Amino acid sequence: MSIGHTLLGLLESGPRHGYDLKRAFDEKFGHDRPLHYGQVYATMSRLLKNGLVEVDGVETDGGPERKRYAITDAGITDVATWLAQPEKPEPYLQSTLYTKVVLAMLTGRSAADVLDAQRSEHLRLMRILTDRKRKGDLADQLICDHALFHLEADLRWLELTAARLGKLAEVVAP
């Protein structure tokens, strides 16, 4: 996820302080990984330097200065361009799991055990996500569906690989 583009998109509804941006980000996108304040301010500093935001005002309210940021026309264009570009599908052609299966075979360990342990971990996470989906709002349901579909594809790969371990052993460790 592009934190900068996400913060820019949140600014399109109007100027906000860094604290407000963090809160909005965490509410909409940060359920599993909330932003750190330092990350917000470092990102805003970079966006300011690049001319994608501007300081719309500074307030003190008896405490430290709070800058209010506003998106610039260049920032709006940047967000529109980013939103229009499709994300590159991740084909996972060199996965860590495949590497572990092959290394298990090469070192005389059980590749089936590696696959079984991974299957158990996938199923554990799927149960957690299914429970979260059941209890969550629409945003949580959609996020969980995305993750669950990926985990289901991984499980299919695990089953296919388990069924082909004999042939893989002939190729990998003749």
Side-chain angles (χ1 to χ4, degrees):
M1 174 188 311
S2 170
I3 303 300
H5 287 112
T6 305
L7 294 177
L8 283 172
L10 290 171
L11 281 172
E12 281 202 47
S13 65
R16 297 180 189 216
H17 297 98
Y19 174 82
D20 296 329
L21 284 167
K22 179 199 173 351
R23 190 178 71 240
F25 181 96
D26 290 351
E27 285 176 9
K28 300 287 185 202
F29 311 108
H31 291 119
D32 296 318
R33 203 179 312 170
L35 281 181
H36 296 287
Y37 284 105
Q39 191 174 12
V40 172
Y41 293 110
T43 301
M44 295 312 295
S45 177
R46 183 177 43 81
L47 295 173
L48 185 63
K49 179 181 162 198
N50 293 335
L52 302 176
V53 298
E54 61 191 9
V55 175
D56 185 56
V58 178
E59 299 170 7
T60 57
D61 291 335
E65 284 187 352
R66 292 179 10 162
K67 294 179 185 173
R68 189 175 55 244
Y69 298 96
I71 191 168
T72 62
D73 289 341
I76 292 170
T77 300
D78 196 57
V79 170
T81 301
W82 178 68
L83 288 173
Q85 294 173 344
E87 288 297 306
K88 180 181 176 191
E90 295 294 331
Y92 305 109
L93 292 178
Q94 188 59 39
S95 80
T96 303
L97 185 53
Y98 173 77
T99 302
K100 285 183 172 187
V101 169
V102 170
L103 283 176
M105 289 181 162
L106 289 174
T107 60
R109 293 177 175 89
S110 171
D113 287 350
V114 171
L115 293 171
D116 287 343
Q118 192 63 52
R119 184 181 304 104
S120 293
E121 184 60 17
H122 270 61
L123 291 172
R124 184 190 69 77
L125 183 54
M126 290 175 83
R127 284 189 294 275
I128 291 168
L129 289 169
T130 299
D131 186 53
R132 176 177 164 181
K133 178 181 165 181
R134 191 175 14 250
K135 296 175 182 174
D137 60 12
L138 181 59
D140 252 359
Q141 292 168 12
L142 291 170
I143 289 168
C144 290
D145 280 340
H146 185 262
L148 286 165
F149 291 150
H150 282 273
L151 290 168
E152 287 173 5
D154 288 349
L155 282 175
R156 288 195 310 270
W157 182 86
L158 290 166
E159 296 302 322
L160 179 65
T161 303
R164 294 180 174 173
L165 282 179
K167 288 185 179 187
L168 183 59
E170 292 172 10
V171 175
V172 171

